[in-house]
Each structure stands twice: as C-alpha cells, then as structure tokens.
Amino acid sequence: MGAAKMETMNPLLDKRFVNAFVEGVVKTISLMAQLEVSTGKPAIDSQFKNKGEIAGMVGMVFGTMKGTMSISFQKDAIFTILESMLGEKHTEINDSVADAVGEITNQIYGTAKTTLNQMGYAFEMAIPSVIKGSFTISNHHNGATLVIPFHLTNGATFHI
C-alpha cells in the first residue's frame, strides 16, 4: 500500500493503526512501571472530554493526515503508575506528575510511531503537551475521535 493511499484512508478503520497505540500503551506501562494493563471497549466519541485530572497530548502529521493522540489519566491511575515506576507516592497533581505524564505520552507515541512507520506511515516527531484540570478538546475537523479505556489491576482507569 503506497503512501498516497494511506493518507486518504481513515486510520481509525485500520485495526493495525489502532493496535499500534494499544500496544504502545501496554508496552510502555509494562516496561516503565511493571504494571499489567487491560484494554476496554473502544468507542467513537464526538468530542474528547477529559476523563481524568491530567492528560498528555501529541500532534500527529503525515502528509495531509493530521490528528492528536491524547492520554487522559484519573488521579488514582497516574498515582499508581508513578508509585510503581518511581517508588514515589503522590497525592496531588504537581509539576513532577506533569513531567512524568509528558514522558509517558512521549514513550507511547514513540512506540506507536515506530510500528506505524514500519506499516508505511511516516509520522513526524512531535513534542507532547500536558494539560492539568478540566478540559474539552474541540474538534475542528470532520474526522472521528476514537476513545480506548485502559484498566490497571487495582481498577484505576485511563484513556487514549
């Protein structure tokens, strides 16, 4: 499949595209925090409303294809991940938690990007942003938003 065809298709309809991000999450959390992650049922959403108190976002560009990967953490999820990853207990969202969310976002995107590039996509490098508090991402496009929940063994949830 050539690059021109990939740019015109909807990547959310390509199971391999979606699985690159699912595998990116599972690998990153497993390697960085030694935690098991299970995947919930994906859903199409008209808008991505925050599903937690902190989120990492990274823009994705390949030719005419543009999108955003966002990972939104509930407090208990990110605190569990950080305690396992760093051995530090957190009780509030602060700059060190935000830094860790940025790094986790970067690792997930990097893992997915490697897989996608092997499939023929050529997404550019990007720097993640971190958002704290309540937010809604407004869509200024005709595309779709796919939301995938992930669950830790303690029941904590986060979403991409």
Side-chain angles (χ1 to χ4, degrees), residues 26 36-40 149-152:
V26 172
E36 288 185 39
V37 179
S38 61
T39 307
F150 293 88
H151 310 285
L152 300 172

Side-chain angles (χ1 to χ4, degrees):
M1 186 180 284
K5 288 183 183 177
M6 289 188 143
E7 285 186 47
T8 59
M9 65 182 279
N10 183 340
L12 298 182
L13 300 177
D14 182 350
K15 187 174 183 177
R16 299 172 312 142
F17 185 93
V18 174
N19 281 341
F21 291 96
V22 171
E23 291 171 11
V25 169
V26 172
K27 285 179 184 177
T28 298
I29 300 303
S30 173
L31 288 172
M32 290 180 78
Q34 295 79 44
L35 292 172
E36 288 185 39
V37 179
S38 61
T39 307
K41 183 179 179 185
I44 300 292
D45 205 345
S46 61
Q47 273 191 331
F48 185 84
K49 294 185 176 129
N50 68 317
K51 305 205 182 295
E53 290 79 18
I54 190 164
M57 296 177 60
V58 64
M60 300 174 55
V61 177
F62 163 54
T64 60
M65 187 185 302
K66 294 174 178 61
T68 303
M69 184 201 82
S70 176
I71 182 163
S72 181
F73 294 96
Q74 294 175 347
K75 281 184 188 180
D76 57 345
I78 193 61
F79 293 163
T80 298
I81 291 167
L82 292 181
E83 185 171 359
S84 183
M85 188 169 92
L86 305 172
E88 299 172 358
K89 190 165 185 74
H90 291 270
T91 57
E92 64 181 63
I93 302 289
N94 56 28
D95 289 343
S96 114
V97 172
D99 288 345
V101 167
E103 183 57 31
I104 291 167
T105 304
N106 191 46
Q107 291 292 323
I108 291 168
Y109 176 68
T111 300
K113 181 181 174 303
T114 297
T115 300
L116 293 170
N117 285 354
Q118 292 168 353
M119 293 168 41
Y121 292 94
F123 285 103
E124 298 173 14
M125 290 301 297
I127 298 171
S129 299
V130 176
I131 302 168
K132 298 185 277 187
S134 181
F135 65 90
T136 300
I137 299 172
S138 299
N139 294 331
H140 297 287
H141 59 76
N142 295 329
T145 300
L146 180 66
V147 179
I148 305 170
F150 293 88
H151 310 285
L152 300 172
T153 54
N154 69 351
T157 302
F158 59 98
H159 299 80
I160 65 166

